[in-house]
């Protein structure tokens, strides 16, 4: 009899908790739907509020129907986290927290995340956990951080020590992976491990710089296959055939973000700054007069190529932050502003409700897989485009913040 009463009480409490949680979610969703986007807002706020209005719960970014642990959410919400530091609107913090709490379970596991796939893309949303854990001190967030750190400890590597992009892409490093793994890796080590293994972070950049840099242009190829066995890989160098602006953007952003955690006196800090200057100088040569960059970086006049939003936003961010932090010469701030002008004047549409849409963003691109992606020029220029794709909107917010626009 007593046990029955206990069971009934537990059931009632669980129902009450579910009702309370659902009520909070419904209330938050209504708040986001009711957002008013004023004309005089900064671009960073305008884009953020647009996304919050279009996707009332953050997991719906990129049109997800159910909560999903994914790099695109990590990218956009990191931008909103940075915005909150400058404009502490409680709606921004709630939006980020809502995503984290939809996925991190009480035992520290992460819904939809699978460690054994060793997909480095899935490390980047972990950046959102540092602030949540620091604020709440709840153990589940620490356990989730430790789970992602465990992935990096076990991540398969090339013989020369570089992280594979995924378990299903053996012996391959992609430029994308530097952004996906290294800022989290560096922040975790500085926060929890006294920065003891920052050399390993630098090693990832050293490997891709050594193997994927084109000596003629100074640009870096999208991917490098150490085994040289992939059909897309050059049989002598192992590199993929073309330069993709978004891949270069991931790399440039990875450098400026990782440098946040390298003390000036660290022996590898100057090396990373040197890489940032080298890639920035190469990219500057290919900036179009519009301020933007083409989808295939070095083939601006070729048929089918187009001025692309995500790479252009990433370069604007990396250049501006590089100057603001003292890593790059002041001239790059002018180039960043020129890029941002190109984005706002040529690729932004203002919607009837005051929200904004960033056009001309490549939806996705990769190498290998099924259906097979060969890295050819024709492949990159024919991939689908998507308005307000998160790989463009996240860096757009970050660029706007660095430029105070």
């Amino acid at each position: 009899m007593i046990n029955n009463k206990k069971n009934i009480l537990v059931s009632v409490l669980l129902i009450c908790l579910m009702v309370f949680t659902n009520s909070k979610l419904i209330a938050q969703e209504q708040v986001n739907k009711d957002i008013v986007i004023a004309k005089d807002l900064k671009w960073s706020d305008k884009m953020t509020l647009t996304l919050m209005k279009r996707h009332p719960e953050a997991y719906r970014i990129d049109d997800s129907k159910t909560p999903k642990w994914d790099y695109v959410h990590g990218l956009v919400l990191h931008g909103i986290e940075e915005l909150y530091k400058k404009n502490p609107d409680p709606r921004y913090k709630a939006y980020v927290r809502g995503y984290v709490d939809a996925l991190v379970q009480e035992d520290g596991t992460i819904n939809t995340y699978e460690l054994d796939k060793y997909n480095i893309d899935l490390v980047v949303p972990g950046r959102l956990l540092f602030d949540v854990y620091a604020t709440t001190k709840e153990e589940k967030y620490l356990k989730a951080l430790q789970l992602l750190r465990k992935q990096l400890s076990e991540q398969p590597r090339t013989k020369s020590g570089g992280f594979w992009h995924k378990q299903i892409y053996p012996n391959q490093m992609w430029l994308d992976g530097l952004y996906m793994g290294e800022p989290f890796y560096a922040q975790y080590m500085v926060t929890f491990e006294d920065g003891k293994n920052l050399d390993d972070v630098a090693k990832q950049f050293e490997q891709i710089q050594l193997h994927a840099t084109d000596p003629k242009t100074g640009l870096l190829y999208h991917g490098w296959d150490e085994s040289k066995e992939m059909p897309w890989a050059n049989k002598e160098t192992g590199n993929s055939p073309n330069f993709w602006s978004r891949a270069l953007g991931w790399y440039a952003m990875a450098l400026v973000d990782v440098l946040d955690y390298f003390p000036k006196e660290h022996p590898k800090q100057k090396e990373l700054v040197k890489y940032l200057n080298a890639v920035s100088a190469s990219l500057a040569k290919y900036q179009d007069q519009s301020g933007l960059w083409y989808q295939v970086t070095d083939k601006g006049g070729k048929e089918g190529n187009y001025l692309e939003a995500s790479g252009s936003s990433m370069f604007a961010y990396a250049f501006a932050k590089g100057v603001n932090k003292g890593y790059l010469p002041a001239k790059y701030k002018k180039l960043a502003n020129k890029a941002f002008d190109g984005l706002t004047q040529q690729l932004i549409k203002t919607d009837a409700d005051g929200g904004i849409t960033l056009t001309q963003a490549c939806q996705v691109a990769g190498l290998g897989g099924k259906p097979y992606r060969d890295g050819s020029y024709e492949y990159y220029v024919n991939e689908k485009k998507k308005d307000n794709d998160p790989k463009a909107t996240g860096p757009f917010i970050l660029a706007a913040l660095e430029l105070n626009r």
Side-chain angles (χ1 to χ4, degrees):
M1 188 72 173
I2 293 171
N3 283 340
N4 285 341
K5 284 183 178 178
K6 279 184 177 178
N7 289 339
I8 291 167
L9 181 60
V10 168
S11 297
V12 169
L13 287 170
L14 285 171
I15 291 167
C16 289
L17 181 62
M18 287 171 66
V19 169
F20 175 70
T21 303
N22 287 337
S23 298
K24 279 182 72 179
L25 288 172
I26 291 165
Q28 186 61 49
E29 186 169 331
Q30 192 58 49
V31 165
N32 290 347
K33 281 181 177 175
D34 292 340
I35 283 169
V36 175
I37 305 168
K39 284 184 179 179
D40 59 350
L41 288 174
K42 287 185 175 179
W43 288 107
S44 51
D45 291 285
K46 201 175 282 194
M47 179 58 84
T48 297
L49 291 172
T50 297
L51 297 178
M52 290 172 66
K53 190 165 189 173
R54 304 278 185 272
H55 312 286
E57 291 166 309
Y59 71 75
R60 297 187 194 178
I61 290 171
D62 211 27
D63 305 317
S64 297
K65 299 290 189 287
T66 56
K68 180 185 178 186
W69 188 256
D70 195 84
Y71 75 95
V72 298
H73 301 84
L75 173 64
V76 174
L77 295 175
H78 171 66
I80 296 174
E81 257 193 337
E82 293 300 301
L83 173 58
Y84 179 77
K85 293 175 185 177
K86 293 194 175 183
N87 178 15
D89 185 325
R91 294 174 298 178
Y92 299 161
K93 196 175 188 73
Y95 194 61
V96 175
R97 181 70 182 273
Y99 176 76
V100 170
D101 285 344
L103 286 145
V104 176
Q105 309 300 298
E106 286 303 315
D107 62 357
T109 57
I110 302 168
N111 192 22
T112 76
Y113 168 78
E114 297 173 81
L115 171 66
D116 59 4
K117 289 191 173 179
Y118 294 102
N119 179 353
I120 207 162
D121 288 344
L122 300 187
V123 173
V124 74
R127 297 178 77 183
L128 306 173
L129 298 170
F130 290 100
D131 182 64
V132 177
Y133 175 64
T135 303
T136 65
K137 294 299 179 187
E138 289 186 44
E139 192 176 4
K140 65 179 180 179
Y141 302 120
L142 177 60
K143 286 182 176 178
L145 282 161
Q146 291 169 338
L147 178 61
L148 296 168
R149 176 67 178 94
K150 177 179 167 65
Q151 177 184 329
L152 291 176
S153 297
E154 300 174 0
Q155 188 78 9
R157 295 178 183 242
T158 64
K159 290 176 184 174
S160 49
F163 291 137
W164 290 8
H165 194 66
K166 297 181 186 179
Q167 180 78 32
I168 60 170
Y169 297 140
N171 306 304
Q172 297 168 43
M173 294 185 76
W174 296 9
L175 295 184
D176 319 28
L178 278 294
Y179 183 83
M180 304 303 165
E182 308 325 313
F184 173 90
Y185 192 16
Q187 188 173 359
Y188 190 97
M189 281 191 286
V190 168
T191 306
F192 298 110
E193 299 179 10
D194 297 322
K196 67 179 182 182
N197 211 21
L198 285 173
D199 280 0
D200 194 39
V201 176
K203 184 172 194 169
Q204 306 307 311
F205 291 92
E206 289 167 358
Q207 288 304 306
I208 205 73
Q209 191 77 26
L210 176 66
H211 296 290
T213 305
D214 173 47
K216 185 178 176 183
T217 62
L219 300 172
L220 288 89
Y221 292 100
H222 184 179
W224 168 63
D225 170 22
E226 185 182 51
S227 71
K228 303 173 186 172
E229 292 176 359
M230 287 294 105
W232 52 256
N234 181 291
K235 297 309 170 192
E236 291 182 13
T237 65
N239 287 318
S240 57
N242 282 288
F243 306 114
W244 179 37
S245 285
R246 182 149 81 224
L248 283 153
W250 288 126
Y251 184 66
M253 291 202 305
L255 281 163
V256 292
D257 283 7
V258 152
L259 279 163
D260 286 342
Y261 306 103
F262 273 76
K264 278 192 173 180
E265 62 274 12
H266 192 282
K268 299 292 184 181
Q269 195 264 2
K270 287 185 175 61
E271 182 180 277
L272 295 174
V273 171
K274 182 181 172 185
Y275 296 160
L276 177 62
N277 276 268
V279 73
S280 298
S282 299
L283 288 168
K285 295 174 190 173
Y286 294 98
Q287 187 175 22
D288 183 69
Q289 61 183 7
S290 64
L292 304 171
W293 280 263
Y294 280 86
Q295 164 77 339
V296 179
T297 319
D298 64 330
K299 293 182 170 61
K302 194 167 179 179
E303 185 180 353
N305 212 359
Y306 61 93
L307 297 167
E308 199 276 329
S310 67
S312 297
S313 297
M314 290 173 171
F315 300 148
Y317 166 63
F319 284 7
K321 183 174 179 179
V323 174
N324 290 343
K325 292 282 190 175
Y327 311 136
L328 292 174
K331 67 179 180 180
Y332 288 100
K333 193 75 165 281
K334 292 179 182 176
L335 298 183
N337 271 304
K338 184 179 179 182
F340 203 80
D341 287 342
L343 291 164
T344 54
Q345 292 168 18
Q346 296 199 36
L347 301 187
I348 287 276
K349 296 188 299 189
T350 301
D351 307 321
D353 63 356
I356 55 174
T357 297
L358 183 56
T359 63
Q360 292 287 95
C362 174
Q363 185 170 357
V364 68
L367 296 164
K370 295 178 183 178
Y372 187 75
R373 300 166 295 182
D374 64 1
S376 65
Y377 174 83
E378 290 71 25
Y379 162 70
Y380 285 112
V381 299
N382 286 301
E383 274 287 18
K384 290 180 183 176
K385 299 171 196 164
K386 183 179 179 182
D387 288 351
N388 271 359
D389 189 276
K391 280 88 74 183
T393 59
F396 179 87
I397 293 166
L398 289 164
L401 285 169
E402 291 296 332
L403 294 167
N404 194 28
R405 296 180 65 170

